[in-house]
Amino acid sequence: MSDRVPTPGSRGRRAERLGVILFCSATVLVPLVAGEWFPFSAPTMFSERTASYCHYRVWDEDGDRVRRSEVGLQCNNPHDPPLTTFGRRGYGRLSPETLNLYDVEPTVEEIREHVEARAEGRRLVVQRLVIGAVDDRRVGVVRDDTIEVGQP
């Protein structure tokens, strides 16, 4: 028999310690072994420096707001999990097609053609705000374009 008196909760502390050790080990080892295994290998948010970004607003001819996703101008999250892993169909989701990408500034004509193909015959007004470096210390709107789409 042992003379050691068990302390209340000592098993719980050991289990917690083991859980923390397993989690930390998995966080370090899984990306090295598997390559892609969300969430362990997910890229960190803001990991790449962005020079510019376009923000779009869309209205119909009655002045009602139109969702950007209806005309393919939404901003997809570049940090969604990858679609393929281990050579098979992955576990992420396929982002809808968009013209709105970081560091890409489409021309007015490209925007007009892109939106017109999805406008379903409606007249739309698209406002594009290009956000980027105003000077060495500030970020803000560097250009504001208004584009009319559809037949008058």
Side-chain angles (χ1 to χ4, degrees):
M1 250 192 179
S2 172
D3 292 338
R4 200 176 97 179
V5 178
T7 57
S10 62
R11 274 194 177 143
R13 278 189 245 138
R14 269 189 237 139
E16 286 176 6
R17 244 183 272 144
L18 180 62
V20 168
I21 290 169
L22 287 173
F23 178 79
C24 291
S25 299
T27 302
V28 171
L29 295 176
V30 166
L32 295 174
V33 175
E36 290 291 343
W37 202 9
F38 183 78
F40 299 104
S41 61
T44 58
M45 202 166 192
F46 309 114
S47 62
E48 296 176 21
R49 187 175 186 169
T50 302
S52 67
Y53 169 73
C54 295
H55 178 74
Y56 295 92
R57 294 182 183 138
V58 185
W59 294 272
D60 64 12
E61 57 191 330
D62 297 327
D64 296 328
R65 292 289 294 262
V66 175
R67 290 186 359 212
R68 291 179 290 255
S69 59
E70 286 182 45
V71 292
L73 293 176
Q74 77 281 356
C75 180
N76 294 334
N77 182 359
H79 302 291
D80 276 345
L83 282 173
T84 56
T85 183
F86 295 123
R88 62 178 168 75
R89 189 103 181 119
Y91 40 80
R93 61 178 187 196
L94 182 61
S95 297
E97 183 184 347
T98 185
L99 194 65
N100 192 2
L101 304 170
Y102 291 106
D103 292 329
V104 175
E105 199 176 313
T107 65
V108 170
E109 193 53 42
E110 288 173 328
I111 295 169
R112 186 174 285 118
E113 288 174 12
H114 181 83
V115 172
E116 196 160 359
R118 293 158 181 77
E120 299 172 346
R122 298 180 290 178
R123 287 190 64 218
L124 300 175
V125 175
V126 178
Q127 179 188 30
R128 173 180 63 174
L129 302 174
V130 180
I131 301 167
V134 175
D135 57 35
D136 290 343
R137 300 191 57 145
R138 296 180 302 141
V139 172
V141 176
V142 294
R143 188 169 38 267
D144 183 348
D145 299 315
T146 302
I147 304 151
E148 293 190 25
V149 177
Q151 301 299 323

